[in-house]
């Protein structure tokens, strides 16, 4: 219950979509804390609800409409409640959303996060505003540091944005419309932010960007300013990997065409760089890749995988795949199955094509019927499930290092975390006091399940969790992997 003295307005941010949106929600929450708001416990005590939206497929967009519908009642329950919509649907629809939903107070686009506090204040005065101006300026990255009241959602782990936007315009994808043109942050800012996070106890940083390895690309289309203050992506990884105390570095999502030799070699040279790459392939058919405007062939993708595996044989690869995009024949789909099988992805996200407004593919009349698309999705998912389980079974008996995240869904003393390969590992915590979220822990993998691995803490090490002792254990894990990895 809120006391009468407590005047700070309370916010709730609900997020759909990708890691970029999850991170944007963290930025929104931090901005609101700096603006004098505090986090609500739940909808009952919230004064402001923000929906941070995704429009990558129509399902995600429809989720916004049903959530907004449900919020009508929430708003009516107390005078002064405010609703804001941000993210990709906000960017795409702007004030059309305000016209369509008369109980919606404000809309802010993906380049306009920093206005959220002022827009919420204005809404409190009865002003309904949509702010969705696109910009290529770096101002949008100029955000305040972490507010002391902001709760760390994932202790020990953090996202750092290195670039935003996409200039590639794949035929099926709405992202270039919702996130605008590519903009890279200055390297010094990225390094400073990462250093500050590590000083606060962060052990794993995931670099974010729509095409993250296009960071700082010098292809003649960039402004002079960007060229001077950014460096190639692999050089950025090297700078960050040098930060003392940073145990793990990840990045998502890279595009195959920007995966250069320097990035491959970084996977050989940088112990902090995790042996996992999420590398979206979308299709295994050259005809489809051309139609999708992906700018590589299935052969080029396979060769990239080979070169990566040559330097880092144990690397775990995951991917994104689309079935049923316009023009996809059964033979095209079979080529996708072949590629998935040949590469041996450890996991993959597979989607049924969803036509998006304003994209080239949405105008393509050569559509695939819903039943065929559904059947393909099921066949692909069954193949992926088999690959995941086989990969998990192969790992049983190995020792891995897990960054703990807290209680697992199974409750009790069951904890969960991720290993360097980004696999979920569950384990029983028998330590007293319990192991804190954000700790690094060596586990022996004892069982494989379809979605995760089960680990057991190594004997005589259950109580060792942090500081210098941890470093010793980390290096033992590295040694284990050097010995256990298949040869090139
Ligand atoms: N339909 C289905 N899936 C899509 N994706 C992007 N656009 C669409 C679409 N129109 C998928 C791609 C991308 C992932 C984030 O979402 O696989 O990599
Ligand atoms: Fe979308 Fe293609 Fe850009 Fe990825 S590279 S965000 S799929 S347009």
């Amino acid at each position: 219950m809120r006391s009468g003295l407590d005047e700070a307005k309370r916010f709730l941010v609900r997020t759909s979509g990708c890691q970029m949106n999850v991170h944007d929600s963290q930025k929104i929450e931090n901005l609101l804390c700096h603006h004098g708001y505090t986090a609500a416990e739940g909808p009952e005590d919230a004064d402001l609800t923000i929906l941070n939206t995704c429009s990558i497929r129509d399902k995600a967009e429809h989720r916004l409409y049903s959530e907004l519908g449900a919020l009508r009642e929430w708003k009516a329950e107390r005078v002064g409640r405010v609703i804001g919509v941000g993210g990709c649907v906000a960017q795409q629809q702007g004030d059309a959303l305000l016209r369509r939903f008369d109980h919606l107070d404000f809309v802010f686009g993906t380049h306009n996060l920093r206005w959220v506090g002022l827009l919420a204040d204005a809404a409190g005065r009865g002003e309904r505003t949509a702010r969705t101006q696109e910009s290529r300026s770096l101002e949008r990255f100029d955000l305040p540091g972490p507010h002391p009241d902001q709760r760390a959602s994932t202790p020990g782990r953090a996202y750092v944005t290195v670039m935003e936007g996409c200039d590639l315009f794949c035929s099926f994808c709405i992202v270039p419309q919702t996130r605008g043109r590519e903009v890279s942050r200055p390297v010094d800012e990225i390094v400073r932010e990462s250093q500050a996070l590590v000083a606060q106890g962060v052990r794993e940083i995931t670099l974010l960007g729509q095409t993250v390895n296009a960071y700082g690309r010098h292809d003649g289309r960039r402004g002079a300013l960007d060229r001077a203050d950014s460096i190639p992506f692999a050089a950025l990884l090297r700078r960050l990997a040098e930060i003392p105390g940073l145990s793990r570095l990840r990045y998502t999502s890279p595009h195959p065409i920007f995966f250069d030799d320097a990035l491959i070699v970084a996977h050989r040279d940088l112990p902090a760089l995790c042996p996992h790459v999420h590398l979206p392939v979308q299709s295994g058919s050259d005809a489809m890749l051309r139609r999708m405007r992906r700018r590589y062939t299935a052969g080029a993708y396979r060769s990239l995988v080979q070169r990566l595996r040559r330097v880092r044989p144990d690397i775990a690869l995951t991917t994104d795949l689309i079935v049923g995009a316009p023009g996809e024949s059964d033979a095209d789909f079979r080529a996708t199955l072949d590629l998935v099988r040949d590469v041996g992805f450890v996991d993959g996200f597979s989607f049924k094509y969803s036509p998006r407004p304003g994209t080239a593919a949405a105008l393509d009349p050569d559509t695939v019927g819903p039943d065929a698309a559904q059947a393909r999705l099921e066949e692909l998912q069954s193949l992926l499930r088999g690959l995941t389980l086989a990969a998990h079974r192969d790992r049983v008996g190995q020792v891995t290092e897990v960054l703990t995240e807290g209680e697992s869904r199974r409750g009790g003393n069951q904890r969960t975390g991720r290993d360097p390969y980004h696999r979920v590992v569950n384990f029983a915590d028998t330590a007293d006091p319990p192991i804190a979220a954000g700790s690094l822990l060596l586990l022996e993998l004892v069982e494989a399940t379809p979605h995760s691995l089960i680990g057991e803490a190594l004997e005589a090490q259950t109580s060792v969790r942090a500081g210098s002792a941890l470093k010793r254990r980390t290096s033992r894990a590295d040694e284990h992997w050097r010995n256990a990895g298949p040869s090139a």
Side-chain angles (χ1 to χ4, degrees), residues 56 165-177 179 182 209-211 253-256 258 280 282 292-295 320 322:
I56 195 93
C166 181
D167 290 356
L168 293 183
F169 291 88
C170 297
S171 62
F172 53 83
C173 186
I174 200 167
V175 166
Q177 293 173 63
R179 291 281 175 173
E182 272 176 29
Q210 265 79 34
T211 49
S253 289
H255 191 290
F258 302 121
Q282 314 299 356
M292 290 174 159
R293 300 191 187 149
R294 289 292 292 180
R295 306 169 194 228
D320 290 341
I322 298 178

Side-chain angles (χ1 to χ4, degrees), residues 18 55-58 171-175 253 278 280-282 294 319-323 325 349-356 359 361:
C18 64
S55 59
I56 195 93
R57 286 168 288 276
D58 60 353
S171 62
F172 53 83
C173 186
I174 200 167
V175 166
S253 289
H278 181 73
V281 65
Q282 314 299 356
R294 289 292 292 180
T319 198
D320 290 341
L321 296 144
I322 298 178
V323 298
F349 297 108
S350 46
F351 308 105
K352 232 188 305 183
Y353 166 73
S354 161
R356 306 310 292 133
T359 60

